Amino acid sequence: LERLGLGTHFVRREPAASMPYLALQAGATVVEINPDETALSHSAHFTLQGPSGILLPKLVQAAWGNS
């Protein structure tokens, strides 16, 4: 993992708003976690709709178990 962007306004304010698109251009896998659909939703490799405080712990659990 080289870059991770989190935040409720991550895709609304520059320069942060450009980061996922720059990552896509560089070949990175982009995962969007957001309660609402955004402009990034159709470009991200994976879009998980829901609160990050609930979905992110579930992702970690699914990926690494109880370690």
Side-chain angles (χ1 to χ4, degrees):
L1 176 67
E2 292 186 24
R3 300 281 184 259
L4 175 65
L6 297 171
T8 54
H9 299 290
F10 184 69
V11 295
R12 292 190 208 167
R13 298 190 183 182
E14 292 297 344
S18 298
M19 287 179 61
Y21 298 102
L22 293 171
L24 285 166
Q25 290 176 350
T29 299
V30 174
V31 179
E32 176 190 44
I33 301 175
N34 199 304
D36 304 309
E37 187 173 301
T38 71
L40 178 63
S41 298
H42 297 288
S43 299
H45 291 93
F46 302 96
T47 299
L48 304 174
Q49 200 164 356
S52 61
I54 293 172
L55 295 179
L56 197 53
K58 289 181 179 186
L59 272 175
V60 170
Q61 176 68 28
W64 289 286
N66 293 323
S67 314

